[in-house]
Amino acid sequence: MSTRREGRHAVEYVQLPHYPQSRRRLGSLVMPFARLYTRRYTRRAVVAAVAFAAALAAPPVFAQSAPEQYLPLLTYRVGPYAPSGISIWAGFLDTVRYFNEVEGGVDGVKIVTEECETGWLAEKGVECYERLKGGKNGSPAPLMLPSSAPISYALTDKVVADKIPMITVNYGRTEATDGATFPWNFPIMLTFYSQASGIINFIAQKEGGFDKLKGKKIVTLYHDSAYGRETIAPLALLAKEYGFEDIEIPNPHPGNEQSAQWQQIREAKPDWVYLRGWGIQTPVAIKTAARVGFPANHIIGDIWSSSEDDVIPAGDAAKGYLAVTTYPAGTDFPIHKKLKEYVLDKGKSDLKDLSRFGTVYYNAGVVEAIITIEALRTAYAKFGAKPINGEQARYGIEHLNIDEKRLEELGVKGLLQPLKLSCSDHEGGGALRVQQWDGKKWTPVSDWIQADRATLRPLIDEKAAAYAKEKGVTPRDCSHES
Amino acid sequence: MSSFDQSDAISVVAAPAGATPAAWRPNWKAIGVLLAAFGVLPFVANDYWLNAMLIPFLVLALAGLGLNLLTGFAGQASLGAGALMSVGAFASYNFLLRLPALPLPLSLALGGVAAAAVGLVFGLPSLRIKGFYLLASTLGAQFFVEWAFTKYEWFSNYASSGSISAPHLALFGRDLSSPVGRYLITVSTVVALTWISLNLVRSQAGLAWTAIRDMDTAAAVIGIPVVRTKLTAFVVSSFILGIAGALWAFAYLGTADAHSFGIDRSFQILFIIIIGGLGSIAGSYIGAAFILVLPILLDRAMLGVFGSVIDTGLLENLQKIIFGSLIIFLLIREPRGLTAYVTRLLRPRPAR
């Protein structure tokens, strides 16, 4: 750094008080602007700023022929989770495109999506939410898909104030299942509690009945975080009920070294390992298990340890590995035929790498899109086929009823489970399928297995009541909701 | 250490040299800022501006201010800013939850006190080590706090997810949970703490900090108690960071968990003061605006121009490139940070 410049500053600073006051004041008002203008760089900056402002103020292009439903999407195409995000949004957008272009929209209403990049981060999510919540071109924002646990937590209070329902498929607060306390939260399909119960039911099936669970040892190797701890309470409850031994082993983040944990598992000699991993943790666990000689086909990965990206890095060790899912991989579901014919083969897919078509995460996007579209359709049936707002969308979600017949019509039988929501039940599903990795692809090895939701509900109600007390929420009376 | 030789520091030294206190004149700049903050913005800003721009900007600026007192003024490098924010957030949450009779400002302040206590403990290594070594030891705070809040669920009131959420925000029976209410909580706290800091850095304590920063041996020789001065810097800085953490959790996001104030947050705050200007109160504000507001404006502008042709992922990566190049460009133009750059632009050139 130049000392000359520093010296100049110092002198100047001391000299300032000797300046004639009036002239200094006037000077300090006018001179900066004058100098700003004469400076080459700043002049360029001004030009850039004006261009900026013009871009900001650019009027949106209006196209008001048919009614169009605005649908904001908080996406993550960059950041550490981008690989899954890119597939999820491709599945989602391809499905929406199919409905818009082939089926003429949802009951004639075209869905117009707008993306905002969150990078999975809470603060960017809040910014995107505030940016998009107002709707566009006269259509309100009907619902929010935060697609990130931290964002969903940050939006919990905001969606209540703004009356916009928030859908969190397979994640989010378990206690939000209680729609009386959480009117605007929808942890649709499978909470972590239901997942724990579904896994135990699957093991019981494999062992030949619930009475065979007695004396069995089930290890849960969990990511030591809020997400990982979610299943401790329900598993303790189920262990008491069925008499199996529940061994909980924490696995600190990021989990790229698990020798100690697997040594502990080997000594415990468990019958099954329930692997609740996250990111790198899953392939490392599978590889370490192979090293200590634990069979992969007795490890059951949870929903966030169930994608291609979780097993391919583990190589051969992953052969036979089981994982639960609510959107099995595959391209043979009827909807995939339609997507392939009308979207992929026409070159309109959002996928850049077409080999990811039908992967677990692509199908997750398809499933989320179907749930969203059906919720909108239910609301249109009640309020008329025109753009709806958050309150109307909430009616649609709470009255969502996708039965076997509807699954058949949509072409998603086997891909999506029947869902029936209500004011007091914001989960609506609670079933899972188990799939097995054969070294190349996932194959479902079970039909839908229903969680024992009635047993777990008191735990959920307890948590919801604690939340209501802490936040001073008065739960609404669901018997008065039609 | 030459990067610390700030003109501000000189002005601080120069002011008492004037000896005769000038007659009180209204500080029009300050009045203008206050008028805008309290009289104009709450009425004209919409939800988006309040929730997505102003509140996070103010909180980050406050956090930057806290770290700046420690790193910029007292010369103690730290990467523990996130940890102290986290302590502040969890402590105020527990005060609000378990002692509901306490008024909101007191709970916030107690959160700051808790953070100050933790900061004091993690400031102890500064008595023996300096520079990069101190930086590495403050990392300890970062990991310890994250571990403690995950391990002991009492801190998060046994929430199954481990995250805490904003309790009911009210003061004197008035509900403050609306965006304007939360903005007012934030801006009042930030203004009060900025005012205190401004006076602090010009006081005996602040001068002692800069003396230690510039050369601690010399400072000790002229009779400045090094141990006490370093620790006060840690305490005051942690207090402000703690309050910033509580505001981040309650006034801005409405939620926090053990991982919300990770190492990334600590780096972000360090960058705010490096880009804004070390050893400058205004630098914290300018840095926060640069780090937080500029990317958002960039994003909106680029969406407006290229939104229909380029997908959002690519656009986001492009913005990161532009933003990164801007940082490099600005730091080459003015290594002492944006404050120095702006001051240089605005100040009349000395007569030659």
Side-chain angles (χ1 to χ4, degrees), chain A residues 46 67 69 110 232 254 273 296 307 319 331 348 360 427:
Chain A
V46 168
Q69 177 72 57
K110 287 245 169 38
I232 295 176
V273 170
S307 76
K319 265 187 198 163
T331 54
K348 291 179 178 171
V360 170
E427 181 185 15

Side-chain angles (χ1 to χ4, degrees), chain A residues 12-13 35 39 56 78 115 117 123-124 127 130-131 133 153-154 158 175 226 229 352 470-471, chain B residues 11 47-48 51 93 97 150 153 157 160-161 166 252-253 255 265 299 303 311-312 316 345 347:
Chain A
E12 198 182 315
Y13 226 101
R35 184 151 324 100
R39 288 216 155 192
L56 283 178
V78 300
E115 281 187 51
E117 172 63 44
E123 51 272 34
K124 292 213 72 182
E127 197 265 319
E130 295 291 343
R131 197 193 293 187
K133 76 176 185 189
Y153 281 100
K158 296 187 167 66
E175 58 264 39
R229 288 153 185 274
K352 292 196 175 69
E470 190 185 312
K471 301 278 286 182
Chain B
S11 78
D47 277 14
Y48 177 78
N51 281 337
Y93 166 76
L97 183 76
T150 322
E153 294 174 57
N157 198 23
S160 57
S161 59
Y252 172 38
L253 286 185
T255 173
R265 182 78 56 223
D299 182 41
L303 267 180
D311 86 68
T312 49
E316 181 79 12
L345 282 184
R347 190 180 296 157

